[in-house]
Amino acid sequence: MLELNQINSGYGAAQVLRDVSLDVKAGEILCLLGRNGAGKTTTMKTIMGLLPLSAGSIVLDGEDVSRLPAHEVPKRGIGYIPQGRRLFSEMTVAENIEIGLLTRGASPAVRERVLALFPRLRERLDQRAETLSGGEQQMLATARALCIEPRVLLLDEPTEGLQPSMIELIRNVVVRLKEEGVAILLVEQRIDAVLKIADRVAFLENGRIRAVVDAVTLADDHTLMERYVGV
């Protein structure tokens, strides 16, 4: 579904990613783990075209999307929920959702499906995004991304700062999308949550992929966790 082939990227002259290769299959959750500064968010931004590649390629279902302008990447079906949510804070819930729908010209039926996943948002359609609670803002950021009917979904720290009930809700939505065949790349520091839902885990250190393993193997062997995450 989504393939990263020896990508190199960074911020100006500061190179962060070095020959990163990954693949995420349809109906799979791949979790990207690493310490702060390892390059996890840089990987997400590079996939979305927010940072330029200096080498390598990004391929979606056989199409090279490496050099697309950033606004074209979501139109190919790659959804992104960034760390910190990045909502249009002065717009209403309904307006934020509408922006997601316009990205790929989604139908009103998509809007209804998204609101069915997050019924609390339906109660707050006329409320400005900045007035929502942290959990509600995460719901809205997720709903907006789902409005493009993504084939691939990138989530950067989706449970950060949320209470347990909200974490469970977000996790259930992610698992449901997996069951529907969406390829999911997840950055998450909650190791317990990762091991419950991920299929594979990739460890990133100093901008390089050091290991990719099945998540089930990490439950009994914490060696890689200790080496690359420090837990």
Side-chain angles (χ1 to χ4, degrees), residues 59-93:
V59 179
L60 175 65
D61 271 348
E63 178 188 4
D64 190 330
V65 297
S66 307
R67 271 74 189 179
L68 289 177
H71 67 275
E72 289 289 338
V73 176
K75 294 180 181 180
R76 296 302 196 276
I78 304 180
Y80 180 36
I81 306 171
Q83 187 178 21
R85 295 140 197 165
R86 303 292 178 86
L87 298 169
F88 296 99
S89 60
E90 295 185 358
M91 292 185 175
T92 65
V93 169

Side-chain angles (χ1 to χ4, degrees), residues 7-11 14-18 42 46 51-55:
I7 66 171
N8 289 257
S9 180
Y11 302 84
Q15 184 175 351
V16 177
L17 302 182
R18 302 175 184 275
T42 301
T46 302
L51 292 173
L53 282 180
S54 56

